[in-house]
Amino acid sequence: MRALITGITGQDGSYLAEFLLKKGYEVYGMLRRSSVENLYRIEHIKDDIRFVQADLLDQLSIVDALKEARPDELYNLAAMSFVPTSWKQPVLTGEFTGLGVTRVLEAIRLMDRDIKFYQASSSEMFGKVREVPQKETTPFYPRSPYGVAKTYGHYMTVNYRESYDMFCCSGILFNHESPRRGLEFVTKKITYNAAKIKLGLADSLYLGNLDSKRDWGYAEDYIEAMWLMLQQGKPDDFVISTEETHSVMEWVQGTFECLDMDWEKYVKTDPKYLRPAEVDLLVGDSSKAREILKWKPGVNFKELVKIMVEYDYNQLKSRI
């Protein structure tokens, strides 16, 4: 089996590449041409991956990538994925995260409709939630340019499935974290900076809305769900979540508890970190995935926080 992964250098892409290599796949990774390579998440497996150069903004390059890789499965994980930046670059977010999906789907339609396609949809599509918990049939109400673009990509995936009888799935993944999370994301920002404070490398941590609630899972658990979707007899969309919700405040408290510190001495709020339109509560109903895919999360909230705190603390300590 051959798989092509867009966004292979990201958190999910790196875990998915590892997962598929262990299953005996030939793994191809799509990279954008840049002056600086950003392969640190896949450094340990890069010799086992075949790279093809393409860009979600360039239709012809995607077609050429499909010609070269000839994949059985294509996982579209590439996107402009940091929500706050989507307000600063809404047009570029729409190009990558929305229209980029259409370009990939169109390339598959033109080249080989037997390719199974996975689209990384997002719980941010629910935004100002219409019901709690959120499931596959919950109406979307995105509250950021990122959420809007993801919603467009999601519906294009559905449209190509229904219009051209293509095997197209969307995984509506709720927040999923890991030691490989980027520093700009709030979970990593908290664990990394708390570890710095513990080691005497910083003295405070500034955050935005501590009351926002999210359904946080472990990225490595969620990768298996992506793969399982493409192994089914028919394509469909699935919510992937832990079915629990926790606030940013709880993440802060759990982090500082792991380091045996009092968070109130170090954590401060700053209005500059507030979103123009906030998503207050996300919690997913993943019963469909649990029933059909036989999938369930393996790492709980407390364990996830501990995994990330210990990783960041040990990494920082090794550099001192």
Side-chain angles (χ1 to χ4, degrees):
M1 293 287 286
R2 291 182 176 180
L4 174 60
I5 303 171
T6 75
I8 195 167
T9 60
Q11 170 188 258
D12 291 7
S14 64
Y15 282 120
L16 180 60
E18 283 179 345
F19 178 87
L20 295 176
L21 286 169
K22 286 175 184 173
K23 289 199 169 289
Y25 277 65
E26 281 185 38
V27 175
Y28 287 77
M30 195 179 101
L31 293 180
R32 277 187 295 155
R33 176 76 181 92
S34 74
S35 56
V36 179
E37 285 192 336
N38 183 25
L39 303 179
Y40 71 94
R41 291 188 181 95
I42 54 172
E43 190 67 37
H44 59 298
I45 54 171
K46 71 177 184 181
D47 292 339
D48 299 319
I49 298 168
R50 304 180 186 193
F51 295 103
V52 293
Q53 282 194 358
D55 194 312
L56 289 185
L57 302 185
D58 181 7
Q59 181 76 67
L60 187 56
S61 71
I62 300 169
V63 170
D64 286 341
L66 291 187
K67 283 181 182 176
E68 186 174 343
R70 293 181 292 116
D72 300 291
E73 299 171 357
L74 194 157
Y75 296 84
N76 185 43
L77 310 185
M80 201 305 294
S81 60
F82 187 48
V83 177
T85 300
S86 73
W87 275 284
K88 295 179 180 177
Q89 297 180 312
V91 176
L92 188 64
T93 299
E95 285 284 356
F96 273 120
T97 308
L99 286 172
V101 182
T102 311
R103 294 186 186 102
V104 175
L105 287 165
E106 188 65 1
I108 292 172
R109 185 186 72 82
L110 292 169
M111 297 298 300
D112 182 359
R113 296 189 192 182
D114 289 332
I115 295 171
K116 293 184 175 182
F117 175 78
Y118 172 84
Q119 166 60 13
S121 288
S122 169
S123 58
E124 286 286 331
M125 301 188 304
F126 294 118
K128 190 173 182 179
V129 299
R130 307 289 186 91
E131 64 179 348
V132 179
Q134 296 88 53
K135 53 184 181 287
E136 292 81 4
T137 54
T138 302
F140 299 134
Y141 192 152
R143 298 264 282 173
S144 67
Y146 170 79
V148 172
K150 276 291 186 185
T151 304
Y152 173 88
H154 176 84
Y155 278 127
M156 287 306 293
T157 302
V158 173
N159 190 257
Y160 271 71
R161 178 170 72 220
E162 296 178 351
S163 300
Y164 302 114
D165 195 28
M166 289 163 52
F167 198 108
C168 301
C169 299
S170 281
I172 307 172
L173 271 57
F174 280 65
N175 293 64
H176 46 289
E177 316 298 318
S178 77
R180 298 181 190 174
R181 203 38 145 164
L183 272 173
E184 68 272 22
F185 290 86
V186 69
T187 50
K188 183 73 167 182
K189 180 180 179 180
I190 293 166
T191 59
Y192 183 81
N193 284 285
K196 285 180 74 174
I197 292 168
K198 180 69 173 180
L199 292 165
L201 303 174
D203 54 18
S204 57
L205 168 59
Y206 290 89
L207 297 169
N209 184 4
L210 298 179
D211 297 322
S212 287
K213 292 183 176 180
R214 294 291 185 271
D215 185 326
W216 275 302
Y218 183 39
E220 202 164 355
D221 288 341
Y222 285 36
I223 294 309
E224 183 186 18
M226 298 178 185
W227 176 77
L228 285 168
M229 287 178 212
L230 298 194
Q231 313 314 308
Q232 303 306 303
K234 64 175 185 176
D236 206 346
D237 306 323
F238 294 90
V239 162
I240 304 299
S241 68
T242 68
E243 301 189 340
E244 293 181 10
T245 189
H246 297 273
S247 66
V248 175
M249 174 72 81
E250 287 178 79
W251 190 284
V252 168
Q253 291 170 334
T255 295
F256 280 82
E257 280 175 18
C258 284
L259 295 166
D260 196 25
M261 291 191 296
D262 179 2
W263 70 271
E264 292 183 273
K265 293 181 179 178
Y266 307 102
V267 176
K268 301 175 175 64
T269 56
D270 188 330
K272 78 177 182 181
Y273 295 117
L274 297 175
R275 296 180 178 186
E278 184 57 78
V279 174
D280 299 312
L281 168 65
L282 292 175
V283 56
D285 176 354
S286 55
S287 55
K288 181 178 172 182
R290 293 171 193 244
E291 179 184 345
I292 296 174
L293 304 180
K294 309 302 180 190
W295 175 88
K296 62 181 180 179
V299 173
N300 65 33
F301 178 79
K302 193 172 182 179
E303 292 166 341
L304 174 59
V305 174
K306 187 171 185 283
I307 288 169
M308 291 179 63
V309 171
E310 289 182 349
Y311 176 86
D312 287 336
Y313 179 81
N314 291 331
Q315 284 290 108
L316 285 164
K317 190 175 181 181
S318 70
R319 297 176 200 161
I320 297 175

